Amino acid sequence: MAAPRDNVTLLFKLYCLAVMTLMAAAYTIALRYTRTSDKELYFSTTAVCITEVIKLLLSVGILAKETGSLGRFKASLRENVLGSPKELLKLSVPSLVYAVQNNMAFLALSNLDAAVYQVTYQLKIPCTALCTVLMLNRTLSKLQWVSVFMLCAGVTLVQWKPAQATKVVCLQVLVASTLLLWLSIQTTS
């Protein structure tokens, strides 16, 4: 496997940030549209299951390409998946939680406006920051704390009067807090 590049350009980082932001926004808007249309609804559990199967197939394909031959591919599967059932069981817990989270996203988008959902969904960032500090004993820079509190303030403002929160305000809060968090990560790395 190739070593990761340490000298990634700023332009590439901005490109990745833009693509990920667009993907998250498009996912939310498309999901909201399909859950609120007048047509017959699909089962959210089926959509989550199909998504996970596609990710599994892609992962197996990437592993097959990296191993290079069918024999090494089988040996890798036998050693890493079938050979360690305890580790496989440990990995199944976050997988189950992730499946529940994805199903809850379908439920939330069926009942919330897309902009309110997207901003509220960003609460995972402050929760992760808090867990990082409390559980892993890591420290955050002042800029990172400011960005986390700014994100919390934006979510609070949107949820305070969600009927009056326009999509533009929600998008502004989301973009500003994402950019500030990205800048804080860049200054610490």
Side-chain angles (χ1 to χ4, degrees):
M1 192 162 44
R5 286 181 44 194
D6 290 333
N7 57 350
V8 178
T9 65
L10 178 64
L11 184 62
F12 182 72
K13 289 179 182 181
L14 288 173
Y15 168 76
C16 290
L17 178 66
V19 168
M20 295 299 289
T21 303
L22 288 175
M23 282 178 44
Y27 170 78
T28 302
I29 292 168
L31 189 59
R32 171 72 178 156
Y33 174 75
T34 61
R35 298 306 292 174
T36 58
S37 66
D38 294 335
K39 299 176 185 173
E40 188 174 335
L41 287 180
Y42 54 90
F43 291 114
S44 62
T45 52
T46 305
V48 170
C49 184
I50 289 172
T51 303
E52 295 305 315
V53 167
I54 290 170
K55 286 195 272 188
L56 175 68
L57 292 175
L58 286 172
S59 299
V60 168
I62 290 170
L63 179 64
K65 182 171 174 31
E66 282 186 1
T67 54
S69 71
L70 185 62
R72 284 187 283 189
F73 172 69
K74 286 181 182 178
S76 179
L77 280 180
R78 207 175 302 118
E79 178 185 336
N80 296 317
V81 178
L82 302 174
S84 54
K86 190 175 180 181
E87 293 300 316
L88 189 62
L89 186 62
K90 287 179 188 177
L91 287 175
S92 67
V93 174
S95 300
L96 180 64
V97 172
Y98 188 66
V100 170
Q101 174 193 353
N102 284 337
N103 281 302
M104 292 296 112
F106 276 87
L107 180 66
L109 277 168
S110 298
N111 298 303
L112 291 173
D113 183 56
V116 172
Y117 165 81
Q118 189 66 23
V119 172
T120 306
Y121 185 70
Q122 297 307 314
L123 280 176
K124 66 183 178 183
I125 295 171
C127 291
T128 304
L130 192 60
C131 289
T132 300
V133 170
L134 295 177
M135 294 179 175
L136 300 176
N137 294 325
R138 293 199 179 156
T139 58
L140 298 179
S141 69
K142 289 179 184 178
L143 187 58
Q144 287 173 322
W145 278 116
V146 167
S147 62
V148 167
F149 285 122
M150 184 180 166
L151 183 61
C152 290
V155 171
T156 304
L157 287 174
V158 169
Q159 291 301 322
W160 193 353
K161 295 184 180 180
Q164 295 175 355
T166 65
K167 292 179 175 137
V168 174
V169 170
C170 293
L171 185 61
Q172 288 172 342
V173 168
L174 181 62
V175 168
S177 57
T178 303
L179 285 174
L180 190 58
L181 189 63
W182 181 76
L183 283 172
S184 67
I185 291 168
Q186 292 304 310
T187 58
T188 58
S189 58

